[in-house]
Amino acid sequence: HYVKLDKLPLTTNGKVDKKALPDPDGLGLSSGVEYLAPRNNTEERLLLIWQDILGREQIGVKDNFFDLGGHSLKAVRIISQIKKQFKLELNIKELFYAPTIEGVAANIDSILWLQEDKAAQTEHTTDQETLIF
């Protein structure tokens, strides 16, 4: 980020006082994407994970993970937390292909729906087999 300053803060020795420089995160700089709050439980849970790992507040579901300071090591942490929270394996490539909470949530919801559908079909098949025998 670039922050325009009228003048650089200096120490008594005339050097740039790095501690006195403004924190770019505290200036309300945005990612350029209009803020959109989580719309469902999956997005809300992912938001908490992203806030924790990225160390940021006010993350919208359309904000790009990598534009917010995410990188491959943080992506691995995201995938690890998704595994713990949602009890499913998500390939790290999924985060690179859909690097927003909205995109990841759609993938998670699809996987969970398929798992529930498969379980329901298995249960239905088991019930039919019981009736036949």
Side-chain angles (χ1 to χ4, degrees):
H1 297 290
Y2 292 96
V3 178
K4 184 178 178 183
L5 301 173
D6 294 330
K7 64 179 186 172
L8 289 173
L10 302 176
T11 64
T12 54
N13 295 335
K15 296 181 181 180
V16 175
D17 186 357
K18 294 178 184 176
K19 293 179 184 176
L21 289 171
D23 179 19
D25 289 333
L27 295 175
L29 300 174
S30 73
S31 63
V33 177
E34 185 176 338
Y35 175 77
L36 181 62
R39 298 160 293 193
N40 59 45
N41 184 42
T42 305
E43 289 179 352
E44 288 174 7
R45 292 168 66 189
L46 284 172
L47 174 66
L48 295 175
I49 293 170
W50 284 38
Q51 285 176 335
D52 180 49
I53 291 173
L54 293 171
R56 294 182 66 129
E57 298 290 323
Q58 199 69 16
I59 298 173
V61 297
K62 293 188 178 279
D63 286 327
N64 186 300
F65 172 75
F66 300 102
D67 291 344
L68 297 174
H71 50 72
S72 58
L73 295 176
K74 288 185 179 182
V76 170
R77 291 180 57 204
I78 292 278
I79 297 302
S80 174
Q81 287 300 312
I82 287 171
K83 183 178 180 178
K84 285 181 187 176
Q85 295 267 335
F86 293 93
K87 309 288 190 257
L88 61 86
E89 294 281 338
L90 192 66
N91 192 315
I92 194 166
K93 286 190 275 185
E94 299 297 327
L95 184 58
F96 284 88
Y97 291 135
T100 63
I101 290 174
E102 178 180 55
V104 174
N107 286 336
I108 289 172
D109 287 342
S110 294
I111 292 167
L112 292 175
W113 180 82
L114 287 171
Q115 288 176 347
E116 289 173 8
D117 187 51
K118 186 176 179 180
Q121 286 179 0
T122 303
E123 183 179 303
H124 181 68
T125 303
T126 304
D127 289 345
Q128 287 179 344
E129 290 172 357
T130 303
L131 292 175
I132 293 171
F133 297 115

